[in-house]
Structures are given as C-alpha cells and as structure tokens.
Amino acid sequence: RSAAAAADLAALAVARQASRGAPDPCDIGHRVATANDGRLTDCVVVGHDAEVVVEVATPDGPYRWVPDGRRRARAGPSSGGYR
C-alpha cells in the first residue's frame, strides 16, 4: 500500500471526526494509518480541517527505486460542509 493512499485516508477520517466534534480526532488517523501498513507521524486539526503525515516502510534491496515512504495529506469540508 502506498504512503499517499494511507495519508489521504487518514486525513479524510480525521477531518470527518473533527466535524463531528470528537475529542481526539487524530486517534482515528492512527488507526487508519496502521490499517494501511503505515504510521501517523503528525496530525494537526484546525476547526474541521486536518493535516496528517503518514510513513510506510519502503523496501530495501533491488526495490530501492520505490518512492519515499512519507506523505502529507490535508482534508476538510467543502464550502458547503459535510452532508
């Protein structure tokens, strides 16, 4: 699984929890990142907006060409809000 996908999913989950008033919306980000073979290394929530950083292990050996395993993603409500 890719770091980008794990970060995108974690950011969406955190923003959704923030919009619902969860006391610790980053908790779901940790769970989503872990479920995608990643590790949430940073999570910032401002209002209903979330920004996360997720790292996944990158292969060694002949697969060193695989892109960096760290990605940042942001998510939040559209101008119309969540429905």
Side-chain angles (χ1 to χ4, degrees), residues 21-44:
D24 184 11
C26 292
D27 180 59
I28 190 71
H30 285 283
R31 290 187 276 152
V32 168
T34 299
N36 286 278
D37 299 323
R39 183 172 63 94
L40 187 71
T41 60
D42 192 27
C43 180
V44 176

Side-chain angles (χ1 to χ4, degrees), residues 3 6 8 15-16 19-20 23 32 38-39 45 49 55 62 65-66 68 70-74 79 82-83:
D8 287 344
R16 182 68 171 183
S19 75
R20 292 180 172 182
V32 168
R39 183 172 63 94
V45 177
D49 296 324
E55 292 181 357
W65 56 268
V66 172
D68 179 21
R70 182 178 180 184
R71 291 291 182 265
R72 179 179 309 272
R74 296 184 339 181
S79 59
Y82 288 111
R83 294 181 186 202

